[in-house]
Coordinates of all heavy atoms in Angstrom, one line a residue:
T3 N 0.8 -1.2 0.0 CA 0.0 0.0 0.0 C 0.9 1.3 0.0 O 0.6 2.2 -0.8 CB -0.9 0.0 1.2 OG1 -1.7 -1.2 1.2 CG2 -1.9 1.2 1.2
L4 N 1.9 1.3 0.8 CA 2.8 2.4 0.9 C 3.5 2.6 -0.4 O 3.6 3.8 -0.9 CB 3.9 2.2 2.0 CG 3.4 2.3 3.4 CD1 4.4 1.7 4.4 CD2 3.1 3.8 3.8
R5 N 3.9 1.5 -1.1 CA 4.6 1.7 -2.4 C 3.6 2.2 -3.5 O 4.1 2.6 -4.5 CB 5.2 0.3 -2.8 CG 6.3 -0.1 -1.8 CD 7.1 -1.3 -2.4 NE 8.1 -1.8 -1.4 CZ 7.9 -2.8 -0.6 NH1 6.8 -3.6 -0.7 NH2 8.9 -3.2 0.2
T6 N 2.3 2.0 -3.3 CA 1.4 2.6 -4.4 C 1.1 4.0 -4.1 O 0.7 4.7 -5.0 CB 0.1 1.8 -4.4 OG1 -0.6 2.0 -3.1 CG2 0.3 0.3 -4.7
L7 N 1.3 4.5 -2.9 CA 1.1 5.9 -2.6 C 2.3 6.8 -2.7 O 2.2 7.9 -3.3 CB 0.6 6.0 -1.1 CG -0.8 5.4 -0.8 CD1 -0.9 5.3 0.7 CD2 -1.9 6.3 -1.4
L8 N 3.4 6.3 -2.3 CA 4.7 7.1 -2.3 C 5.5 6.8 -3.6 O 6.6 6.3 -3.5 CB 5.5 6.8 -1.0 CG 4.8 7.2 0.3 CD1 5.6 6.7 1.5 CD2 4.6 8.7 0.4
V9 N 4.9 7.3 -4.7 CA 5.4 7.0 -6.0 C 5.9 8.4 -6.6 O 5.0 9.3 -6.6 CB 4.4 6.4 -6.9 CG1 5.0 6.2 -8.3 CG2 3.9 5.0 -6.3
I10 N 7.1 8.5 -7.0 CA 7.6 9.7 -7.5 C 6.8 10.2 -8.7 O 6.5 11.4 -8.8 CB 9.1 9.6 -7.9 CG1 10.0 9.4 -6.6 CG2 9.6 10.8 -8.7 CD1 10.1 10.6 -5.8
D11 N 6.6 9.3 -9.7 CA 5.9 9.6 -10.9 C 4.4 9.7 -10.5 O 3.7 8.7 -10.3 CB 6.1 8.5 -11.9 CG 5.5 8.8 -13.3 OD1 4.6 9.7 -13.3 OD2 5.8 8.1 -14.3
R12 N 3.9 10.9 -10.5 CA 2.5 11.1 -10.1 C 1.5 10.4 -11.0 O 0.4 10.1 -10.6 CB 2.2 12.6 -10.0 CG 2.4 13.4 -11.2 CD 2.3 14.8 -11.0 NE 2.6 15.6 -12.2 CZ 2.4 16.9 -12.3 NH1 1.8 17.6 -11.3 NH2 2.8 17.5 -13.4
S13 N 1.9 10.2 -12.3 CA 1.0 9.5 -13.2 C 0.8 8.0 -12.8 O -0.2 7.4 -13.2 CB 1.5 9.6 -14.6 OG 2.6 8.8 -14.8
K14 N 1.7 7.5 -12.0 CA 1.6 6.1 -11.5 C 1.2 6.0 -10.0 O 1.1 4.9 -9.5 CB 3.0 5.4 -11.7 CG 3.4 5.3 -13.2 CD 4.8 4.7 -13.3 CE 5.2 4.6 -14.8 NZ 6.5 4.0 -15.0
R15 N 1.1 7.2 -9.4 CA 0.7 7.2 -8.0 C -0.8 6.8 -7.9 O -1.6 7.3 -8.7 CB 0.9 8.6 -7.5 CG 0.9 8.7 -5.9 CD 1.2 10.2 -5.5 NE 2.5 10.6 -6.1 CZ 2.8 11.9 -6.3 NH1 2.0 12.9 -6.0 NH2 4.0 12.2 -6.7
A16 N -1.2 6.0 -7.0 CA -2.5 5.6 -6.8 C -3.5 6.7 -6.5 O -3.1 7.6 -5.8 CB -2.6 4.5 -5.8
S17 N -4.7 6.7 -7.0 CA -5.7 7.6 -6.6 C -6.4 7.1 -5.3 O -6.2 5.9 -5.0 CB -6.7 7.8 -7.7 OG -7.5 6.6 -7.9
L18 N -7.1 7.9 -4.6 CA -7.8 7.4 -3.4 C -8.9 6.5 -3.8 O -9.3 5.6 -3.0 CB -8.3 8.6 -2.6 CG -7.3 9.5 -2.0 CD1 -7.9 10.6 -1.2 CD2 -6.3 8.7 -1.1
K19 N -9.5 6.6 -5.0 CA -10.5 5.7 -5.5 C -9.9 4.3 -5.6 O -10.6 3.3 -5.2 CB -11.0 6.1 -6.9 CG -12.1 5.3 -7.4 CD -12.6 5.8 -8.7 CE -13.8 5.0 -9.3 NZ -14.3 5.5 -10.6
I20 N -8.7 4.2 -6.1 CA -8.0 2.9 -6.1 C -7.6 2.4 -4.7 O -7.8 1.2 -4.4 CB -6.7 3.0 -7.0 CG1 -7.1 3.2 -8.5 CG2 -5.8 1.8 -6.9 CD1 -5.9 3.5 -9.4
I21 N -7.2 3.3 -3.9 CA -6.8 2.9 -2.5 C -8.0 2.3 -1.7 O -7.8 1.4 -0.9 CB -6.1 4.1 -1.8 CG1 -4.7 4.4 -2.4 CG2 -6.0 3.8 -0.3 CD1 -3.7 3.2 -2.3
R22 N -9.1 2.8 -2.0 CA -10.3 2.3 -1.3 C -10.5 0.8 -1.5 O -11.1 0.1 -0.7 CB -11.6 3.1 -1.8 CG -11.9 4.3 -0.9 CD -13.3 4.7 -1.1 NE -13.7 5.1 -2.4 CZ -14.6 4.6 -3.2 NH1 -15.2 3.5 -2.8 NH2 -14.8 5.0 -4.4
K23 N -10.0 0.3 -2.7 CA -10.1 -1.1 -3.0 C -8.9 -1.9 -2.6 O -8.7 -3.1 -2.9 CB -10.4 -1.3 -4.5 CG -11.7 -0.6 -4.9 CD -11.8 -0.7 -6.5 CE -13.0 0.1 -6.9 NZ -13.2 0.1 -8.4
D24 N -7.9 -1.2 -1.9 CA -6.7 -1.8 -1.6 C -6.8 -3.0 -0.6 O -7.7 -3.0 0.2 CB -5.8 -0.7 -0.9 CG -4.5 -1.3 -0.4 OD1 -3.6 -1.4 -1.2 OD2 -4.4 -1.5 0.8
K25 N -6.0 -4.0 -0.9 CA -6.1 -5.3 -0.1 C -5.9 -5.0 1.4 O -6.7 -5.5 2.2 CB -5.1 -6.3 -0.6 CG -5.1 -7.6 0.1 CD -4.1 -8.6 -0.5 CE -4.1 -9.9 0.2 NZ -3.1 -10.9 -0.3
W26 N -4.8 -4.3 1.7 CA -4.6 -4.1 3.2 C -5.7 -3.3 3.8 O -6.1 -3.6 4.9 CB -3.2 -3.4 3.3 CG -2.9 -3.1 4.8 CD1 -2.4 -3.9 5.7 CD2 -3.1 -1.8 5.4 NE1 -2.2 -3.3 6.9 CE2 -2.6 -2.0 6.8 CE3 -3.5 -0.5 5.0 CZ2 -2.7 -1.0 7.7 CZ3 -3.6 0.5 6.0 CH2 -3.1 0.3 7.3
L27 N -6.1 -2.2 3.1 CA -7.1 -1.4 3.7 C -8.4 -2.1 4.0 O -9.2 -1.8 4.9 CB -7.4 -0.2 2.7 CG -8.2 1.0 3.3 CD1 -7.5 1.7 4.4 CD2 -8.6 1.9 2.2
N28 N -8.7 -3.1 3.2 CA -10.0 -3.8 3.3 C -9.9 -5.1 4.1 O -10.9 -5.9 4.1 CB -10.6 -4.1 1.9 CG -11.1 -2.8 1.3 OD1 -12.2 -2.3 1.7 ND2 -10.4 -2.2 0.3
Q29 N -8.8 -5.3 4.7 CA -8.8 -6.5 5.7 C -9.7 -6.2 6.8 O -9.9 -5.0 7.2 CB -7.3 -6.7 6.1 CG -6.4 -7.2 5.1 CD -5.0 -7.3 5.6 OE1 -4.7 -7.3 6.8 NE2 -4.0 -7.4 4.7
E30 N -10.2 -7.2 7.4 CA -11.1 -7.0 8.6 C -10.4 -6.3 9.7 O -9.3 -6.8 10.1 CB -11.7 -8.3 9.0 CG -12.7 -8.9 8.0 CD -13.9 -7.9 7.8 OE1 -14.4 -7.4 8.8 OE2 -14.3 -7.8 6.7
S31 N -11.0 -5.3 10.2 CA -10.5 -4.6 11.4 C -11.6 -4.6 12.5 O -12.8 -4.4 12.1 CB -10.1 -3.2 11.1 OG -9.0 -3.2 10.2
E32 N -11.3 -4.7 13.7 CA -12.3 -4.6 14.8 C -12.9 -3.2 14.8 O -12.2 -2.2 14.6 CB -11.6 -4.9 16.2 CG -11.4 -6.4 16.4 CD -10.9 -6.6 17.8 OE1 -11.4 -5.9 18.7 OE2 -10.0 -7.4 18.0

C-alpha cells in the first residue's frame, strides 16, 4: 500500500479511489 502511494511519478501514483479497494485497507478490522 505504501509503495502505491509514495510514488515519484505522479501518473503512476494511486488515486484514493484505487486505494479504497486496496487489499490491506479492506482487511477486517475490529
Side-chain angles (χ1 to χ4, degrees):
T3 305
L4 287 166
R5 293 189 184 102
T6 64
L7 292 164
L8 298 173
V9 179
I10 292 287
D11 184 346
R12 57 187 174 170
S13 69
K14 297 178 181 178
R15 195 177 303 156
S17 67
L18 294 183
K19 183 177 181 180
I20 291 173
I21 289 298
R22 268 200 297 118
K23 301 175 183 178
D24 176 79
K25 181 179 178 181
W26 178 80
L27 191 67
N28 286 289
Q29 290 175 19
E30 287 300 318
S31 297
E32 285 187 37

